[in-house]
Coordinates of all heavy atoms in Angstrom, one line a residue:
S188 N -36.6 -20.8 -26.9 CA -35.4 -20.0 -27.1 C -34.2 -20.9 -26.9 O -34.2 -21.7 -25.9 CB -35.4 -18.8 -26.1 OG -36.3 -17.9 -26.4
I189 N -33.2 -20.8 -27.8 CA -32.1 -21.7 -27.7 C -30.9 -20.8 -27.3 O -30.6 -19.8 -28.0 CB -31.9 -22.4 -29.0 CG1 -33.1 -23.3 -29.3 CG2 -30.6 -23.3 -29.0 CD1 -33.1 -23.9 -30.7
V190 N -30.1 -21.3 -26.3 CA -28.9 -20.6 -25.8 C -27.8 -21.5 -26.0 O -27.8 -22.7 -25.6 CB -29.1 -20.2 -24.4 CG1 -27.8 -19.6 -23.8 CG2 -30.3 -19.3 -24.1
T191 N -26.7 -21.0 -26.7 CA -25.5 -21.9 -26.8 C -24.3 -21.1 -26.2 O -24.2 -19.9 -26.5 CB -25.2 -22.2 -28.3 OG1 -25.0 -21.0 -29.0 CG2 -26.3 -22.9 -28.9
P192 N -23.5 -21.7 -25.4 CA -22.3 -21.0 -24.9 C -21.4 -20.5 -26.0 O -20.9 -19.4 -25.8 CB -21.6 -22.1 -24.1 CG -22.7 -23.1 -23.7 CD -23.7 -23.1 -24.9
K193 N -21.3 -21.2 -27.1 CA -20.5 -20.7 -28.2 C -21.0 -19.4 -28.7 O -20.2 -18.5 -28.9 CB -20.5 -21.8 -29.3 CG -19.7 -21.4 -30.5 CD -19.7 -22.5 -31.5 CE -19.0 -22.1 -32.8 NZ -19.1 -23.2 -33.8
R194 N -22.3 -19.3 -28.9 CA -22.9 -18.0 -29.5 C -22.7 -16.9 -28.5 O -22.4 -15.8 -28.8 CB -24.3 -18.3 -29.8 CG -24.9 -17.0 -30.5 CD -26.4 -17.3 -30.9 NE -26.4 -18.2 -32.0 CZ -27.5 -18.9 -32.3 NH1 -28.6 -18.8 -31.7 NH2 -27.4 -19.8 -33.3
I195 N -22.9 -17.2 -27.2 CA -22.7 -16.2 -26.2 C -21.3 -15.6 -26.2 O -21.0 -14.4 -26.1 CB -23.1 -16.7 -24.8 CG1 -24.6 -16.9 -24.7 CG2 -22.7 -15.7 -23.7 CD1 -25.1 -17.7 -23.5
A196 N -20.3 -16.6 -26.2 CA -18.9 -16.2 -26.2 C -18.6 -15.3 -27.5 O -17.9 -14.3 -27.4 CB -18.0 -17.4 -26.1
V197 N -19.0 -15.8 -28.6 CA -18.7 -15.1 -29.9 C -19.4 -13.7 -29.9 O -18.7 -12.7 -30.2 CB -19.2 -15.9 -31.1 CG1 -19.2 -15.1 -32.4 CG2 -18.4 -17.1 -31.3
D198 N -20.6 -13.6 -29.4 CA -21.3 -12.3 -29.3 C -20.5 -11.3 -28.4 O -20.4 -10.2 -28.7 CB -22.7 -12.4 -28.9 CG -23.6 -12.8 -30.0 OD1 -23.2 -12.9 -31.2 OD2 -24.8 -13.2 -29.7
T199 N -20.1 -11.8 -27.3 CA -19.4 -11.0 -26.3 C -18.1 -10.5 -26.9 O -17.7 -9.3 -26.8 CB -19.1 -11.8 -25.0 OG1 -20.3 -12.2 -24.5 CG2 -18.4 -11.0 -24.0
I200 N -17.3 -11.4 -27.5 CA -16.1 -11.0 -28.2 C -16.3 -10.0 -29.3 O -15.6 -9.0 -29.4 CB -15.3 -12.2 -28.7 CG1 -14.8 -13.1 -27.5 CG2 -14.1 -11.8 -29.5 CD1 -14.3 -14.5 -27.8
M201 N -17.3 -10.2 -30.1 CA -17.6 -9.3 -31.2 C -18.0 -7.9 -30.7 O -17.6 -6.9 -31.3 CB -18.6 -9.9 -32.2 CG -18.1 -11.1 -33.0 SD -16.6 -10.7 -33.9 CE -17.2 -9.4 -35.0
H202 N -18.8 -7.9 -29.7 CA -19.2 -6.6 -29.1 C -18.0 -5.8 -28.6 O -17.9 -4.6 -28.8 CB -20.2 -6.8 -28.0 CG -21.6 -7.1 -28.4 ND1 -22.4 -8.1 -27.8 CD2 -22.4 -6.5 -29.3 CE1 -23.6 -8.1 -28.4 NE2 -23.6 -7.2 -29.3
F203 N -17.1 -6.5 -28.0 CA -15.9 -5.9 -27.5 C -15.0 -5.3 -28.6 O -14.6 -4.2 -28.6 CB -15.1 -6.8 -26.6 CG -13.8 -6.3 -26.1 CD1 -13.8 -5.4 -25.1 CD2 -12.6 -6.6 -26.8 CE1 -12.6 -4.8 -24.6 CE2 -11.4 -6.0 -26.3 CZ -11.4 -5.1 -25.3
I204 N -14.8 -6.2 -29.6 CA -13.9 -5.8 -30.8 C -14.6 -4.6 -31.5 O -13.9 -3.6 -31.8 CB -13.7 -7.0 -31.7 CG1 -12.8 -8.0 -31.0 CG2 -13.1 -6.5 -33.0 CD1 -12.7 -9.3 -31.7
R205 N -15.9 -4.8 -31.9 CA -16.5 -3.7 -32.6 C -16.7 -2.4 -31.8 O -16.6 -1.3 -32.3 CB -17.9 -4.2 -33.1 CG -17.7 -5.2 -34.2 CD -19.0 -5.8 -34.7 NE -19.8 -4.8 -35.4 CZ -21.0 -5.1 -35.8 NH1 -21.6 -6.2 -35.5 NH2 -21.7 -4.1 -36.4
G206 N -16.8 -2.6 -30.5 CA -16.9 -1.4 -29.6 C -15.6 -0.6 -29.6 O -15.5 0.6 -29.7
R207 N -14.5 -1.3 -29.6 CA -13.1 -0.7 -29.6 C -12.9 0.0 -31.0 O -12.4 1.1 -31.0 CB -12.0 -1.7 -29.4 CG -11.9 -2.2 -28.0 CD -11.4 -1.0 -27.2 NE -11.0 -1.5 -25.9 CZ -10.6 -0.7 -25.0 NH1 -10.6 0.6 -25.2 NH2 -10.2 -1.1 -23.8
Y208 N -13.3 -0.7 -32.0 CA -13.1 -0.2 -33.4 C -13.9 1.1 -33.5 O -13.5 2.1 -34.0 CB -13.5 -1.2 -34.4 CG -13.4 -0.8 -35.8 CD1 -12.2 -0.8 -36.5 CD2 -14.5 -0.3 -36.5 CE1 -12.1 -0.3 -37.8 CE2 -14.4 0.1 -37.8 CZ -13.2 0.1 -38.5 OH -13.1 0.6 -39.7
N209 N -15.2 1.0 -33.1 CA -16.1 2.1 -33.3 C -15.7 3.3 -32.4 O -16.0 4.5 -32.8 CB -17.5 1.7 -32.9 CG -18.0 0.8 -34.0 OD1 -17.7 0.9 -35.2 ND2 -18.9 -0.2 -33.6
A210 N -15.1 3.1 -31.3 CA -14.7 4.2 -30.4 C -13.7 5.1 -31.2 O -13.6 6.3 -30.9 CB -14.1 3.7 -29.1
Q211 N -12.9 4.5 -32.1 CA -11.9 5.3 -32.8 C -12.5 6.0 -34.0 O -12.2 7.1 -34.4 CB -10.8 4.4 -33.3 CG -10.0 3.7 -32.2 CD -9.1 2.7 -32.7 OE1 -9.0 2.5 -33.9 NE2 -8.3 2.1 -31.8
F212 N -13.4 5.3 -34.7 CA -13.8 5.8 -36.1 C -15.3 6.2 -36.2 O -15.6 6.7 -37.3 CB -13.5 4.7 -37.1 CG -12.1 4.3 -37.1 CD1 -11.7 3.1 -36.6 CD2 -11.1 5.2 -37.5 CE1 -10.3 2.7 -36.6 CE2 -9.8 4.8 -37.5 CZ -9.4 3.6 -37.1
S213 N -16.1 5.9 -35.3 CA -17.6 6.1 -35.6 C -18.3 6.5 -34.4 O -17.7 6.8 -33.3 CB -18.1 4.7 -36.1 OG -19.5 4.9 -36.5
N214 N -19.6 6.7 -34.5 CA -20.5 7.1 -33.4 C -21.5 6.1 -33.1 O -22.6 6.4 -32.7 CB -21.1 8.4 -33.8 CG -21.7 8.4 -35.2 OD1 -21.8 7.4 -35.8 ND2 -22.2 9.6 -35.6
L215 N -21.2 4.8 -33.2 CA -22.1 3.7 -32.9 C -22.1 3.6 -31.3 O -21.1 3.5 -30.7 CB -21.6 2.4 -33.5 CG -22.4 1.1 -33.1 CD1 -23.8 1.3 -33.7 CD2 -21.7 -0.1 -33.7
E216 N -23.3 3.7 -30.8 CA -23.4 3.7 -29.3 C -23.9 2.4 -28.7 O -23.6 2.1 -27.6 CB -24.3 4.9 -28.9 CG -23.8 6.2 -29.2 CD -24.7 7.3 -28.6 OE1 -25.9 7.1 -28.6 OE2 -24.2 8.4 -28.3
A217 N -24.7 1.7 -29.5 CA -25.3 0.4 -29.0 C -25.5 -0.5 -30.1 O -25.7 -0.1 -31.3 CB -26.6 0.7 -28.3
L218 N -25.4 -1.8 -29.8 CA -25.5 -2.9 -30.8 C -26.2 -4.0 -30.2 O -25.8 -4.5 -29.1 CB -24.1 -3.3 -31.3 CG -24.0 -4.6 -32.1 CD1 -24.7 -4.5 -33.4 CD2 -22.6 -5.0 -32.3
H219 N -27.2 -4.6 -30.8 CA -27.9 -5.7 -30.3 C -28.2 -6.7 -31.4 O -28.6 -6.2 -32.5 CB -29.2 -5.4 -29.5 CG -29.0 -4.5 -28.4 ND1 -28.5 -4.9 -27.2 CD2 -29.1 -3.1 -28.2 CE1 -28.4 -3.9 -26.3 NE2 -28.8 -2.8 -27.0
H220 N -28.1 -8.0 -31.2 CA -28.5 -8.9 -32.2 C -29.8 -9.5 -31.8 O -30.1 -9.8 -30.7 CB -27.5 -10.1 -32.3 CG -26.2 -9.7 -32.9 ND1 -25.1 -9.5 -32.1 CD2 -25.8 -9.5 -34.2 CE1 -24.1 -9.2 -32.9 NE2 -24.5 -9.2 -34.2
V221 N -30.7 -9.6 -32.8 CA -32.0 -10.2 -32.5 C -32.3 -11.3 -33.6 O -31.6 -11.3 -34.6 CB -33.2 -9.2 -32.5 CG1 -33.0 -8.3 -31.3 CG2 -33.2 -8.3 -33.8
A222 N -33.3 -12.0 -33.4 CA -33.7 -13.1 -34.4 C -32.6 -14.0 -34.7 O -32.2 -14.2 -35.8 CB -34.3 -12.5 -35.7
N223 N -32.0 -14.6 -33.6 CA -30.9 -15.5 -33.7 C -29.7 -14.9 -34.5 O -29.1 -15.6 -35.3 CB -31.3 -16.8 -34.3 CG -32.2 -17.6 -33.4 OD1 -32.0 -17.6 -32.2 ND2 -33.2 -18.3 -33.9
G224 N -29.4 -13.6 -34.3 CA -28.3 -13.0 -35.0 C -28.5 -12.6 -36.4 O -27.6 -12.0 -37.0
R225 N -29.7 -12.8 -36.9 CA -29.9 -12.4 -38.3 C -30.2 -10.9 -38.5 O -30.0 -10.3 -39.6 CB -31.1 -13.2 -38.9 CG -30.8 -14.7 -39.0 CD -32.0 -15.4 -39.6 NE -33.1 -15.1 -38.8 CZ -34.0 -16.0 -38.4 NH1 -33.8 -17.3 -38.7 NH2 -35.0 -15.7 -37.6
I226 N -30.6 -10.2 -37.4 CA -30.9 -8.8 -37.5 C -30.1 -8.1 -36.5 O -29.9 -8.5 -35.3 CB -32.4 -8.6 -37.2 CG1 -33.3 -9.3 -38.3 CG2 -32.7 -7.1 -37.2 CD1 -34.8 -9.3 -38.0
E227 N -29.6 -6.9 -36.8 CA -28.8 -6.1 -35.9 C -29.6 -4.8 -35.6 O -30.2 -4.2 -36.6 CB -27.4 -5.7 -36.5 CG -26.5 -6.8 -36.5 CD -25.1 -6.4 -36.8 OE1 -24.8 -5.2 -37.1 OE2 -24.2 -7.3 -36.8
T228 N -29.7 -4.4 -34.4 CA -30.3 -3.2 -34.0 C -29.2 -2.3 -33.5 O -28.5 -2.7 -32.6 CB -31.4 -3.4 -33.0 OG1 -32.4 -4.2 -33.5 CG2 -32.1 -2.0 -32.6
L229 N -29.0 -1.1 -34.1 CA -27.9 -0.2 -33.8 C -28.4 1.1 -33.3 O -29.5 1.6 -33.8 CB -27.0 -0.1 -35.0 CG -26.6 -1.3 -35.7 CD1 -26.6 -1.1 -37.2 CD2 -25.3 -1.8 -35.3
Q230 N -27.7 1.8 -32.5 CA -28.0 3.2 -32.1 C -26.8 4.0 -32.5 O -25.7 3.7 -32.0 CB -28.3 3.3 -30.7 CG -28.6 4.7 -30.3 CD -29.0 4.9 -28.8 OE1 -29.9 4.1 -28.3 NE2 -28.5 5.8 -28.1
F231 N -27.0 5.1 -33.3 CA -25.9 6.0 -33.6 C -26.3 7.4 -33.1 O -27.5 7.7 -32.9 CB -25.8 6.1 -35.2 CG -25.3 4.9 -35.9 CD1 -26.2 4.0 -36.4 CD2 -23.9 4.7 -36.0 CE1 -25.7 2.9 -37.1 CE2 -23.4 3.6 -36.7 CZ -24.3 2.7 -37.2
Q232 N -25.3 8.2 -32.9 CA -25.5 9.6 -32.5 C -25.0 10.4 -33.7 O -23.9 10.2 -34.2 CB -24.7 10.0 -31.3 CG -25.0 11.5 -30.9 CD -24.4 11.9 -29.7 OE1 -23.5 11.3 -29.2 NE2 -24.8 13.1 -29.2
I233 N -25.8 11.4 -34.1 CA -25.4 12.3 -35.2 C -24.6 13.5 -34.5 O -25.2 14.3 -33.7 CB -26.6 12.9 -35.9 CG1 -27.5 11.8 -36.4 CG2 -26.2 13.8 -37.0 CD1 -26.9 10.9 -37.4
K234 N -23.3 13.5 -34.7 CA -22.4 14.4 -33.9 C -22.2 15.7 -34.7 O -21.8 16.7 -34.1 CB -21.1 13.8 -33.6 CG -21.3 12.7 -32.5 CD -20.0 12.1 -32.1 CE -20.2 11.1 -31.0 NZ -19.0 10.5 -30.5
E235 N -22.3 15.7 -36.0 CA -22.0 16.9 -36.8 C -22.8 16.8 -38.1 O -23.3 15.8 -38.5 CB -20.5 16.9 -37.1 CG -20.0 15.7 -37.8 CD -18.5 15.7 -37.9 OE1 -17.8 16.2 -37.1 OE2 -18.0 15.1 -38.9
D236 N -22.9 18.0 -38.8 CA -23.6 18.0 -40.1 C -22.9 17.1 -41.0 O -21.6 17.1 -41.1 CB -23.7 19.4 -40.6 CG -24.8 20.2 -40.1 OD1 -25.9 19.7 -39.9 OD2 -24.6 21.4 -39.8
N237 N -23.6 16.3 -41.8 CA -23.0 15.4 -42.8 C -24.0 15.2 -43.9 O -25.1 15.8 -43.9 CB -22.6 14.1 -42.1 CG -23.7 13.4 -41.4 OD1 -24.8 13.3 -41.9 ND2 -23.4 13.0 -40.1
K238 N -23.7 14.2 -44.8 CA -24.6 13.9 -45.9 C -26.0 13.5 -45.4 O -27.0 13.7 -46.1 CB -24.0 12.7 -46.7 CG -22.7 13.1 -47.4 CD -22.3 11.9 -48.3 CE -21.3 11.0 -47.5 NZ -20.8 10.0 -48.3
L239 N -26.1 12.9 -44.3 CA -27.4 12.4 -43.8 C -28.3 13.5 -43.2 O -29.5 13.3 -43.1 CB -27.2 11.3 -42.8 CG -26.4 10.1 -43.2 CD1 -26.2 9.1 -42.1 CD2 -27.1 9.4 -44.4
T240 N -27.7 14.6 -42.8 CA -28.5 15.7 -42.2 C -29.0 16.7 -43.2 O -29.8 17.6 -42.9 CB -27.7 16.4 -41.1 OG1 -26.6 17.0 -41.7 CG2 -27.3 15.5 -40.0
Q241 N -28.6 16.6 -44.5 CA -28.9 17.6 -45.5 C -30.2 17.3 -46.2 O -30.7 18.2 -46.9 CB -27.8 17.6 -46.5 CG -26.5 18.1 -45.9 CD -25.3 18.0 -46.9 OE1 -25.5 17.6 -48.1 NE2 -24.1 18.3 -46.4
Y242 N -30.8 16.1 -46.1 CA -32.0 15.8 -46.9 C -33.0 15.1 -46.0 O -32.7 14.5 -44.9 CB -31.6 14.7 -47.9 CG -30.5 15.2 -48.8 CD1 -29.2 14.7 -48.6 CD2 -30.7 16.1 -49.9 CE1 -28.1 15.2 -49.5 CE2 -29.7 16.5 -50.7 CZ -28.4 16.1 -50.5 OH -27.4 16.5 -51.3
P243 N -34.3 15.2 -46.4 CA -35.4 14.4 -45.7 C -35.1 12.9 -45.9 O -34.4 12.5 -46.8 CB -36.6 14.8 -46.4 CG -36.3 15.9 -47.3 CD -34.8 16.0 -47.5
L244 N -35.6 12.1 -44.9 CA -35.3 10.7 -45.0 C -35.7 10.0 -46.3 O -35.1 9.1 -46.8 CB -36.0 10.0 -43.8 CG -35.5 10.4 -42.4 CD1 -36.3 9.6 -41.3 CD2 -34.0 10.1 -42.3
S245 N -36.8 10.6 -46.9 CA -37.3 10.0 -48.1 C -36.3 10.1 -49.3 O -36.3 9.4 -50.3 CB -38.6 10.6 -48.6 OG -38.4 12.0 -48.8
E246 N -35.4 11.1 -49.2 CA -34.4 11.3 -50.2 C -33.0 10.6 -49.9 O -32.2 10.5 -50.8 CB -34.1 12.8 -50.4 CG -35.3 13.5 -51.0 CD -35.1 15.0 -51.2 OE1 -33.9 15.4 -51.3 OE2 -36.0 15.7 -51.1
L247 N -32.9 10.0 -48.7 CA -31.7 9.3 -48.4 C -31.7 7.9 -49.2 O -32.7 7.3 -49.3 CB -31.5 9.0 -46.9 CG -31.4 10.2 -46.0 CD1 -31.3 9.8 -44.6 CD2 -30.1 11.0 -46.5
K248 N -30.6 7.5 -49.7 CA -30.4 6.3 -50.4 C -29.9 5.2 -49.5 O -28.7 4.9 -49.5 CB -29.5 6.5 -51.6 CG -29.9 7.5 -52.6 CD -31.0 7.1 -53.6 CE -31.2 8.0 -54.7 NZ -32.3 8.8 -54.6
L249 N -30.8 4.7 -48.6 CA -30.4 3.7 -47.7 C -30.3 2.3 -48.4 O -31.1 2.1 -49.4 CB -31.4 3.6 -46.6 CG -31.6 4.8 -45.7 CD1 -32.7 4.6 -44.7 CD2 -30.3 5.1 -45.0

Side-chain angles (χ1 to χ4, degrees):
S188 290
I189 299 171
V190 178
T191 63
K193 178 180 177 181
R194 185 175 293 161
I195 292 169
V197 167
D198 280 351
T199 302
I200 292 167
M201 289 306 297
H202 281 135
F203 177 78
I204 291 169
R205 288 176 69 185
R207 286 293 195 186
Y208 179 81
N209 292 326
Q211 296 173 0
F212 302 109
S213 187
N214 49 5
L215 178 63
E216 295 184 328
L218 163 70
H219 299 282
H220 289 104
V221 293
N223 290 327
R225 294 181 303 226
I226 300 173
E227 289 189 355
T228 301
L229 310 144
Q230 179 177 314
F231 291 96
Q232 182 179 14
I233 307 296
K234 293 185 177 181
E235 57 190 29
D236 277 322
N237 57 47
K238 295 184 263 186
L239 301 177
T240 61
Q241 297 173 4
Y242 306 101
L244 295 179
S245 61
E246 295 181 24
L247 294 180
K248 303 278 192 255
L249 297 175

